[in-house]
Each structure stands twice: as C-alpha cells, then as structure tokens.
Amino acid sequence: MKTTISILGSGFSSLAASCYLAKAGYDVTIFEKNDTVGGRARQLTKAGFTFDIGPTWYWMPDVFERFFSDFNRKPSDYYQLEKLNPAYSVYFGKGDFITIEDTLDKICDAFEREEPGSSKKLKTFIETAKSNYNIAIKDLVYNPGVSPLELITPKTITKLNQFFSNIKSDVRRSFKNKRLAQILEFPVLFLGAKPSDTPSFYSFMNYADFGIGTFHPQKGMYQVILALKSLAEELGVKINTSSPVKKIVVNEGHATSIVSNGKTIHSDIVVSGADYHHTETLLEEPYRQYSENYWNKKTFAPSSLLFYVGFNKKIEHVDHHTLFFDVDFDEHAKAIYDAPEWPEKPLFYASFPSKTDNSTAPEGKEAAIFLIPLAPGLNDTPQLRTTYFNKIINRLEYLTNQELKSEILFKESYCINDFVADYNSYKGNAYGMANTLMQTAFLRPKLKSKKVNNLYFTGQLTVPGPGVPPSLISGKLVADLVTKNHTL
C-alpha cells in the first residue's frame, strides 16, 4: 500500500505541497474546512460581479513558471496573464497622483518629473534590488529554514550589511521626496512589517515591482487556485471540502490519524497548511512546540478590513490597482504595529478588476475591492465596519472628484472576525507572520514538528513567509522535507 498523507487546508501552499507529494508517489488527500478550495484566495460572486476575496496582486511570475515547470506544465496551460499598464497609481491628494507604468524606463520618467535627478538614483537602487532578487528568489528562499548556514553563501556574504540596515533608511537616504519614498517603501508591506523593521535585503520586492511588473490572470487570482486544483487532481490528489479537522491523534510521538466530520482517518504523515497556531491546538498539549506566549510575542502581519462593492457605473480616475496615500503613512503604521488600534485616518488600497477584465462585472458597471490594513486582534463590529466604509468612500469621492455613494448596488465586508471564523487565523491576521530580521528563514516556526515525527507545516506562518509566491515555495519545501525523511 502507498504511504498516506493527509493535508489540512487547500490554500496555495497546501495545493502546491499536494502536487509535489502526489508526483513523488504518495497517496494524498486534502481536508478543507470550507465548501470551496483556495483558503484565503477564495472567490465571491454576486449579481453578475466576481471578486477575489483574498490576494489580488500577481507578482513574481517566474515563481509560478518554476512551479508549473516542475510538472512539465506552464501557467498558460491553465490561465492567461496580462501585464498591467499602468501597474498601479498612487493618490496623494485631490486629483494628485503618480502613475507607475509597466517598464522601468517609464517609471524613471515619472520619478524625474516628480524630483529632477531621482531617475539616476532609482536605476542604482533597482540594480541592487535586482541583484538581491536573483539571490533571494532564485536561491535562498528555496532553503527549508533548518540552519542559519543556509543564509551564508559567497553571494550573501557580500550583502551582510543589508541584513542589519532597513528599507526605510536606505530609501530615505537616496530619495528626499516623501512621495517617491513612500512608493518605494510600499512593496515591503507585502512582507507584513514596517519598512523601518524590514531588512534592506528585502529590496528585492522593489525589483519585483519596477523590474518585472504587475500582472492579472484573466478572470482573477482564483484562476490560479483552480489551476493548482486541476493539477493536483491530474496527479491523483483527493480533495474533501466541508471537512474541518478537529484533532490530530498522536501515539508515542507519531501522528497516526486525523479526526474529520466525526470520522477517524488513518494517516502515515500529516501536513498542515492551516493556521500554524490553530494546528497545534489540534494536538494534545505535550506535543505542541510553541506556547501561547511565543505566538503573542511575534510580530504578525496586519489583518484587513475589506469591502467588495458593486457599482452601477464605471468609476473615473482610478486604475486596476490604486493606492490612497493621502494621509499620514507613519501614523497608520503606528496604529498597526506600535499601539494597536483602529487608525483614525487610514491609508487604503482599492482594486477595480473590471478596468482590465470584463468578466468581473456586468457591462457598464464596476467591481471594486477596498482594503484597509489593521492590527490583528482588534475589536471588530458591524458599526466599525460601516464607519470605516464611509471614511474611505467619502475620500474616494473627494480625491477622484465624482459622486459614487448613490451608485452602490451592494457591498459585502470581511474583517478580523471572518478571518478567525473562516481560516482559524491567529488574532484574525490576514497575511501571516511578518518577515522582520528576527523572523526570517531559520528563525521562523519550523516546517517539521520537533515533537511529532511525521507532522509537518506549510504556509505563511512558516518558511519562507507571507505572500502568494512564498506560499507556492513553502509547499515545495515541505514536500521536499517529507520525501527526504520518509522514503517510499
């Protein structure tokens, strides 16, 4: 009989792991608590509109290509990509915005218009970012986070100082224009920490942004999930939805089964792509690696207040991705990381996928996704959600000079309580554990349990970190560890 593997969850990391493990010859079954696959990357459809509930940015296409090539496939076998131009725009005031286009030369022109002489500095900055990208994304992030020695290579030794300085100080040293500095600091927010707490080496995110660009899968990010699901099923993976796992049974240091929907299911190996903290609560206490105190002391990436809105008309003066930095960046960051509270004047991000993709809204109408980053663990009430929707819709109307409230057909919200209910997310975080210096690589929670011999973890709370491309990589890393430790 084949060695059986039970995988908890069906997000990017779980689906990726299932593909690698099935290809290696294991008998793989996924158990997903919700009624559709995708984890945080699910989809909402309503009244002819389609929204990605979770991730909306498609960066680092080379990581997706590398994943599919491991199975002699290409992304285009499953979905079609369009490079966005503009990639996004950033509002700083009424009718006052900077547009980031689809090539570095065009972006340099935009910088030069804003601050004469800045384009030369930008090219130098992006050259360093490209070098870091080639080291990080093509090499370092494919290490399993077992040893600090993974970070020490002939290439990284020349960049050691970049692990002990931070993105904000590097950017502000070269760019005196606050608006340009904020644009350069924006990509590291995907890593879940303030620019001042993110090592300089992570400037590779700026190369992903300016050097490679922003893409959109036709019909939305959920098409990538459906691609992974199709590939997994082609490889023989069985997927059970509406199947929450309530317990991982351990005997003498070995996981022997899981309990789902009242049934005990034998498993030779268990891999969890569910929330790491939650997964450990499925174990008897002696088999948990990390205490509540451990988790409480960690720096978590933000949670989010999201709105999915159908508008009865096309919205003017916005792009597919639009950022609203018309309020104090640092004050909002303090409300997330330093003194957690609801921000008085929040920055927000908006996605209008129907600007690019006609399938996401009926003709003449607009699909809109709004996101406000929040500290995890805040009190989340319907009244607060309404208050903050009014804040951002009023600002959207003012900044873009148009009336919109009367054109709202419907709105749905999603916030901290929903992250907890749907994903068992620790404190309702949206993106996992931040990639600060002390939470990088081998300093993150381990892929392999130290207390249960055949229990493994994958996803945004372990290696390599938050984001969609890192989640794909995490699936590969855990599968490699399983195959190394449990030969067929």
Side-chain angles (χ1 to χ4, degrees):
M1 290 179 62
K2 283 187 175 182
T3 300
T4 59
I5 299 182
S6 294
I7 298 182
L8 281 60
S10 65
F12 282 105
S13 58
S14 291
L15 287 169
S18 78
C19 292
Y20 285 109
L21 291 167
K23 180 187 175 188
Y26 296 92
D27 181 357
V28 181
T29 303
I30 286 174
F31 295 85
E32 165 58 51
K33 76 180 287 288
N34 295 310
D35 58 5
T36 58
V37 298
R40 284 165 165 78
R42 293 180 299 149
Q43 193 176 64
L44 168 67
T45 57
K46 182 171 182 175
F49 292 81
T50 301
F51 306 90
D52 284 313
I53 290 179
T56 54
W57 293 79
Y58 192 107
W59 274 5
M60 304 182 187
D62 48 318
V63 173
F64 296 85
E65 289 162 7
R66 180 167 173 174
F67 170 81
F68 283 106
S69 71
D70 286 341
F71 303 92
N72 297 314
R73 309 286 204 285
K74 304 184 297 293
S76 59
D77 293 334
Y78 299 96
Y79 55 89
Q80 302 304 309
L81 278 182
E82 177 180 350
K83 189 173 187 181
L84 296 181
N85 186 31
Y88 56 92
S89 56
V90 186
Y91 267 87
F92 295 96
K94 183 173 185 176
D96 178 13
F97 57 88
I98 295 175
T99 299
I100 302 300
E101 294 190 73
D102 61 340
T103 69
L104 182 56
D105 285 342
K106 293 176 186 175
I107 297 167
C108 284
D109 290 343
F111 270 54
E112 195 66 25
R113 287 192 295 271
E114 181 72 18
E115 181 185 340
S118 63
S119 61
K120 184 176 180 181
K121 295 175 184 175
L122 179 62
K123 286 179 179 177
T124 300
F125 184 82
I126 295 299
E127 274 302 309
T128 300
K130 180 179 181 180
S131 171
N132 291 351
Y133 188 92
N134 288 333
I135 293 170
I137 303 303
K138 296 181 180 178
D139 186 14
L140 282 187
V141 294
Y142 286 90
N143 286 313
V146 172
S147 164
L149 297 177
E150 294 170 3
L151 296 177
I152 301 173
T153 71
K155 291 179 180 177
T156 57
I157 285 174
T158 65
K159 295 177 176 287
L160 278 181
N161 64 310
Q162 291 192 44
F163 287 93
F164 299 99
S165 58
N166 66 71
I167 289 286
K168 183 168 185 173
S169 62
D170 288 359
V171 167
R172 301 286 171 143
R173 192 180 306 120
S174 297
F175 298 90
K176 304 307 178 189
N177 182 294
K178 186 177 179 181
R179 292 145 61 103
L180 298 183
Q182 287 184 340
I183 291 172
L184 285 168
E185 291 166 1
F186 147 69
V188 302
L189 298 178
F190 284 105
L191 302 171
K194 290 189 296 186
S196 57
D197 290 335
T198 302
S200 300
F201 184 73
Y202 283 104
S203 70
F204 64 73
M205 294 293 290
N206 294 104
Y207 179 70
D209 181 3
F210 288 2
I212 301 175
T214 303
F215 296 79
H216 172 72
Q218 289 181 15
K219 298 184 180 179
M221 285 292 288
Y222 195 64
Q223 296 305 305
V224 187
I225 287 291
L226 294 180
L228 295 176
K229 176 179 182 284
S230 294
L231 176 58
E233 290 176 335
E234 289 167 31
L235 294 164
V237 176
K238 297 178 285 294
I239 300 175
N240 297 326
T241 54
S242 301
S243 299
V245 173
K246 297 298 185 182
K247 187 175 184 180
I248 300 171
V249 179
V250 179
N251 288 310
E252 297 180 355
H254 283 77
T256 57
S257 59
I258 61 169
V259 177
S260 178
N261 288 336
K263 297 179 181 177
T264 299
I265 300 148
H266 169 78
S267 301
D268 295 311
I269 298 164
V270 176
V271 176
S272 180
D275 180 272
Y276 204 125
H277 168 269
H278 169 73
T279 302
E280 289 222 309
T281 68
L282 304 179
L283 298 163
E284 298 291 343
E285 198 160 332
Y287 296 114
R288 300 173 191 172
Q289 305 169 89
Y290 303 109
S291 67
E292 286 297 318
N293 191 45
Y294 169 89
W295 293 110
N296 198 44
K297 286 182 176 179
K298 293 300 173 184
T299 300
F300 273 79
S303 186
S304 298
L305 170 56
L306 292 134
F307 296 100
Y308 311 97
V309 186
F311 286 94
N312 198 33
K313 70 172 186 177
K314 303 302 287 186
I315 298 177
E316 299 176 340
H317 315 308
V318 293
D319 291 312
H320 184 125
H321 296 300
T322 308
L323 306 171
F324 294 88
F325 284 5
D326 55 305
V327 297
D328 194 300
F329 188 105
D330 292 330
E331 284 302 309
H332 191 155
K334 285 178 187 175
I336 296 174
Y337 299 104
D338 300 336
E341 62 183 356
W342 283 82
E344 184 178 344
K345 296 179 180 178
L347 287 80
F348 68 99
Y349 152 69
S351 173
F352 303 95
S354 44
K355 290 290 176 194
T356 302
D357 191 337
N358 292 333
S359 72
T360 60
E363 186 175 354
K365 304 184 192 306
E366 202 86 87
I369 302 164
F370 299 98
L371 183 154
I372 300 173
L374 297 174
L378 295 181
N379 185 38
D380 167 19
T381 68
Q383 293 79 10
L384 281 165
R385 296 187 189 195
T386 298
T387 296
Y388 277 79
F389 182 75
N390 290 332
K391 282 177 185 267
I392 64 172
I393 201 71
N394 287 338
R395 277 172 44 208
L396 177 66
E397 288 185 323
Y398 170 75
L399 294 167
T400 63
N401 195 31
Q402 60 195 309
E403 199 281 324
L404 294 171
K405 285 195 283 288
S406 66
E407 301 293 339
I408 294 172
L409 295 170
F410 65 85
K411 67 176 172 68
E412 302 284 346
S413 65
Y414 201 95
C415 198
I416 290 169
N417 293 346
D418 302 300
F419 282 102
V420 173
D422 289 350
Y423 312 126
N424 297 305
S425 171
Y426 181 73
K427 292 186 177 180
N429 80 82
Y431 306 108
M433 188 182 288
N435 262 333
T436 61
L437 177 61
M438 298 308 293
Q439 293 180 179
T440 291
F442 67 97
L443 295 172
R444 297 180 70 80
K446 302 300 183 186
L447 289 164
K448 184 181 185 303
S449 171
K450 295 176 286 188
K451 294 190 174 184
V452 182
N453 289 333
N454 56 341
L455 174 60
Y456 296 81
F457 300 86
T458 187
Q460 57 190 10
L461 291 187
T462 181
V463 179
V468 175
S471 292
L472 285 179
I473 294 167
S474 187
K476 175 177 172 56
L477 294 179
V478 76
D480 288 346
L481 268 186
V482 169
T483 54
K484 177 183 176 183
N485 294 333
H486 306 272
T487 53
L488 290 170

